[in-house]
Amino acid sequence: MQLLKLVSKQVAIGAPLPFNVRDEAGGLLLACGQILRSEMQLELLLARGMYADVEEIKALAAGRQVVASPPTVFARWNRLTWSLELLLKSVTVEAGFLTACDEFLDELMALVDKDADIAIYQAIRQEGHHFRTYGLTHTIHVAALVQLLGQRLGWPQAQVRSLVQAALTMNLSIIDLQGRYAVHGRLTQEQRDELRRHPDEAVAALRAAGVSDEFWLEAVGQHHEHVDGKGYPLGLSEVAESAKLLRLADVFLAKLSRRESRPALDAKEAQRQAYAELPGSPLVVALIKEYGIYPPGELVCLASGEKGVVIRRGSTMQTPLVATLTDKKGLPAINTMKRDCSQREYAISAVEVDKSLASRVPMERCYGLGV
């Protein structure tokens, strides 16, 4: 497949795409016929790099119709960001929020159930994320993590669904503010006040949109409360378990995300800090067990001399599956190979400190387009 890099004037917001839009590896981002709904969606595509198959461009020029490609799992994950943006701008009864939220929830939970390693990988490797969309991508990562933790803890499926809905909507009034903070790293006093009000504002908006699930609403309203009474907006010392889990995932994943003002924190250090704050908490234990020592997305050095990125958790915490990014001499790998770390020659010797290695390699190449 020969790819042509596209520019903004080759696609139109609000009109069906005339061709399949792909990334630089040929992975499908948007299928022919889908519609870009906003400037933000276009910005995301341009930031990632959008391409079209040259043969499809030629077909259009010859007056032939392009056939839509079936979406890959990666394309489905990418679409979640744009779909969430639309969902959170339509939190009203008139917009059919409850139905739209259920549809979004079904897609997200299906993707996490299909391949939890890909969900974790994306949360760990966030170098390519656009700061402006941080509020959206962070929300999706938190929702995926609370799904995994709720399931690991053995919570009833109905409660897990409600908790994921809470994760998706807890910051609905400050999504744009989160993006600005990720860029500038500071807030005005007015913005700080807005931040402290957002749990109550989110609950009020959800009730007005027809949400009556108290488990969902309680988690949203208390997700910034803390057992020491120093949380907000009410300074509660008795906090619902659902809100504790939501806060844990929210804070943990925020630490893994880089800002303009600071680098991302290492996953192990973020786990250590979570345990230090809540020692012995079954919620933190579940988090550590879910991510493990070498979670998908972690960059590692192998005994073979190769460097790579973890793509699958293994039968033990020390033996994940790794996709190589360099050869034994440290040169960029021409072909990505899969290495089973349970084999002595591919055992992990260290964690790689150069986090830019994975940012140069599309996730589709690490996992394979057929996932």
Side-chain angles (χ1 to χ4, degrees):
M1 181 188 300
Q2 184 180 355
L3 297 174
L4 174 69
K5 190 168 186 177
L6 301 171
V7 294
S8 59
K9 66 180 181 181
Q10 290 174 282
V11 296
I13 295 172
L17 289 168
F19 39 66
N20 295 293
V21 175
R22 303 177 183 277
D23 61 24
E24 62 181 346
L28 184 69
L29 296 178
L30 285 174
C32 172
Q34 285 189 256
I35 297 175
L36 282 177
R37 300 290 184 185
S38 70
E39 289 286 349
M40 181 179 285
Q41 293 178 13
L42 181 56
E43 278 187 32
L44 281 168
L45 284 174
L46 291 171
R48 175 161 185 162
M50 59 179 186
Y51 300 78
D53 187 342
V54 171
E55 293 302 317
E56 293 183 2
I57 300 295
K58 291 180 179 178
L60 284 171
R64 300 194 303 273
Q65 187 174 4
V66 175
V67 177
S69 297
T72 65
V73 66
F74 306 107
R76 291 169 64 190
W77 273 107
N78 274 305
R79 285 208 301 256
L80 286 179
T81 306
W82 310 325
S83 298
L84 181 62
E85 180 198 11
L86 296 176
L87 177 69
L88 297 183
K89 288 181 177 179
S90 307
V91 186
T92 64
V93 172
E94 294 76 15
F97 170 72
L98 288 177
T99 299
C101 190
D102 278 338
E103 291 175 354
F104 185 94
L105 182 74
D106 289 342
E107 173 69 352
L108 172 62
M109 294 188 72
L111 284 169
V112 175
D113 285 337
K114 178 180 176 64
D115 201 322
D117 288 326
I118 289 179
I120 295 173
Y121 182 104
Q122 294 179 102
I124 294 288
R125 298 261 61 84
Q126 297 186 44
E127 297 94 342
H129 287 178
H130 199 286
F131 285 130
R132 185 187 167 198
T133 62
Y134 167 76
L136 297 169
T137 55
H138 175 71
T139 294
I140 291 169
H141 295 324
V142 172
L145 179 54
V146 298
Q147 176 181 339
L148 292 172
L149 296 184
Q151 291 170 342
R152 178 174 284 275
L153 290 163
W155 289 15
Q157 182 65 7
Q159 287 190 358
V160 173
R161 282 184 63 88
S162 293
L163 186 60
V164 176
Q165 287 172 315
L168 292 172
T169 56
M170 63 181 180
N171 294 325
L172 64 86
S173 67
I174 58 163
I175 290 294
D176 291 339
L177 177 60
Q178 287 180 306
R180 292 196 295 274
Y181 180 66
V183 173
H184 302 295
R186 60 187 181 277
L187 296 172
T188 65
Q189 185 57 51
E190 183 180 357
Q191 289 170 332
R192 291 180 186 280
D193 293 341
E194 181 182 353
L195 194 65
R196 293 187 69 86
R197 293 194 306 267
H198 85 269
D200 285 343
E201 290 179 345
V203 170
L206 291 169
R207 286 194 187 280
V211 176
S212 59
D213 180 346
E214 292 300 327
F215 187 91
W216 174 354
L217 295 169
E218 182 178 55
V220 170
Q222 296 184 14
H223 77 276
H224 279 297
E225 301 289 357
H226 194 270
V227 292
D228 63 6
K230 296 180 180 180
Y232 62 88
L234 298 177
L236 302 177
S237 56
E238 294 186 9
V239 183
E241 200 74 357
S242 58
K244 291 180 184 176
L245 185 54
L246 196 52
R247 180 182 184 276
L248 172 65
D250 185 19
V251 173
F252 173 75
L253 290 174
K255 291 177 179 179
L256 301 188
S257 174
R258 69 187 177 98
R259 300 284 194 279
E260 197 64 71
S261 58
R262 64 156 176 82
L265 198 65
D266 179 80
K268 289 186 181 62
E269 176 59 20
Q271 288 178 347
R272 187 197 67 76
Q273 291 182 12
Y275 190 82
E277 182 179 344
L278 298 170
S281 165
L283 306 182
V284 178
V285 172
L287 171 65
I288 293 172
K289 287 183 177 179
E290 190 66 39
Y291 266 57
I293 299 173
Y294 304 111
E298 183 69 271
L299 297 170
V300 294
C301 304
L302 304 181
S304 62
E306 298 164 311
K307 296 178 181 180
V309 60
V310 175
I311 58 172
R312 299 279 178 210
R313 293 165 292 177
S315 57
T316 72
M317 288 190 177
Q318 293 80 16
T319 59
L321 183 68
V322 169
T324 59
L325 301 175
T326 76
D327 61 18
K328 296 179 180 180
K329 297 180 180 180
L331 299 174
I334 298 175
N335 297 309
T336 299
M337 307 298 293
K338 305 295 192 299
R339 302 304 191 201
D340 182 351
C341 296
S342 66
Q343 299 178 22
R344 179 177 296 182
E345 63 267 39
Y346 301 126
I348 294 175
S349 59
V351 172
E352 172 57 38
V353 296
D354 182 5
K355 304 304 181 184
S356 67
L357 280 178
S359 64
R360 299 191 289 265
V361 179
M363 183 170 60
E364 292 87 337
R365 175 177 160 188
C366 296
Y367 281 92
L369 292 175
V371 171

